[in-house]
Amino acid sequence: MDKIICSKCGSEYSIRKIHYPVRDTDTVDCVVCDEVLKSWRKSTTAYTAKLEVRRVNHLKPPK
Ligand SMILES: [Zn+2]
């Protein structure tokens, strides 16, 4: 299992690869800040992310 850290808020996810029988285009988004964690296009390999560490303090305030 791979770890991925959201580039926007710093929350940590464990990423799991799954295989679909059909090609699909989709994304996995950060549940904290909606940043795209993983995206794929017309692929039978998809991903699921499980939130491990929620880090909202790293969010930058809007200017
Ligand atoms: Zn995030």
Side-chain angles (χ1 to χ4, degrees):
M1 204 180 280
D2 286 335
K3 272 233 167 135
I4 195 166
I5 294 175
C6 175
S7 59
K8 201 168 160 189
C9 70
S11 293
E12 291 178 24
Y13 290 82
S14 56
I15 285 279
R16 209 153 56 97
K17 229 187 227 183
I18 49 176
H19 290 281
Y20 281 143
V22 292
R23 291 181 183 274
D24 197 14
T25 299
D26 205 354
T27 58
V28 171
D29 301 332
C30 177
V31 296
V32 179
C33 71
D34 280 340
E35 180 80 350
V36 174
L37 299 171
K38 277 270 187 191
S39 65
W40 57 96
R41 282 176 63 83
K42 291 180 179 167
S43 172
T44 55
T45 304
Y47 299 89
T48 57
K50 183 171 165 286
L51 182 62
E52 300 282 357
V53 182
R54 178 187 283 257
R55 293 224 173 92
V56 286
N57 294 339
H58 287 213
L59 277 175
K60 288 176 187 143
K63 282 173 185 168

